Amino acid sequence: MNDNTRQRSGRQAIYSGSEYERTYSYARAVALNGHVRLSGTTGYDYVADVLADGARAQTEQIVRNARFAFEQAGASLRDVVRVRIYIARPEDYDAVMDVYAEAFRGVDPACTTVQAGLFDPAIRVEIDMDAIVDAAA
């Protein structure tokens, strides 16, 4: 356990350092009994506190954010079994899905992609994921 995690009764909460996690009382991810649930994650670099520019760059940052959170929980993208992608603009679909496909080729989790109004017009994509540790074995 490190500064980015907190454990209680076998439940491990993982934090990215996002101000939203503190303000709105949620964890970036929660791990319990081999399951890891990643909250809706956007293309912010939480260390630099900047939003990546454009849908492709935001999706690339989301993948980096997800990798970090899963690593904190002892998991990886290879353990992901479910992905939900929310895209603000339909024209961004191909850019988002190209990054997604690169990250998950060979893993092939169940995936749903929808167009959705996101809370900040600068945010082009948000993704949440569920993983089961050792599910790829």
Side-chain angles (χ1 to χ4, degrees):
M1 193 159 51
N2 58 42
D3 292 342
N4 297 316
T5 65
R6 188 174 14 170
Q7 196 150 1
R8 180 182 78 228
S9 301
R11 174 184 161 141
Q12 180 185 15
I14 293 105
Y15 301 94
S16 66
S18 164
E19 71 178 72
Y20 294 107
E21 294 166 359
R22 287 186 303 278
T23 302
Y24 300 117
S25 190
Y26 71 92
R28 176 65 37 213
V30 174
L32 179 65
N33 299 328
H35 292 252
V36 184
R37 311 259 194 236
L38 181 76
S39 291
T41 300
T42 61
Y44 274 96
D45 177 330
Y46 299 113
V47 175
D49 195 29
V50 295
L51 179 65
D53 188 31
R56 180 175 301 278
Q58 287 183 22
T59 307
E60 290 167 346
Q61 183 63 51
I62 290 168
V63 170
R64 286 191 292 275
N65 293 341
R67 278 191 178 114
F68 175 79
F70 285 131
E71 286 171 6
Q72 299 302 304
S76 75
L77 293 183
R78 299 220 39 91
D79 297 310
V80 172
V81 296
R82 183 79 168 116
V83 177
R84 291 169 205 84
I85 302 171
Y86 308 93
I87 300 174
R89 302 175 190 177
E91 64 269 20
D92 289 338
Y93 179 82
D94 288 332
V96 170
M97 295 310 293
D98 286 348
V99 175
Y100 165 85
E102 184 178 319
F104 289 101
R105 186 138 350 262
V107 178
D108 301 335
C111 180
T112 301
T113 305
V114 298
Q115 180 185 356
L118 301 176
F119 72 93
D120 179 337
I123 296 174
R124 310 277 288 268
V125 60
E126 183 169 343
I127 301 176
D128 67 68
M129 303 177 199
D130 299 326
I132 302 173
V133 178
D134 296 326

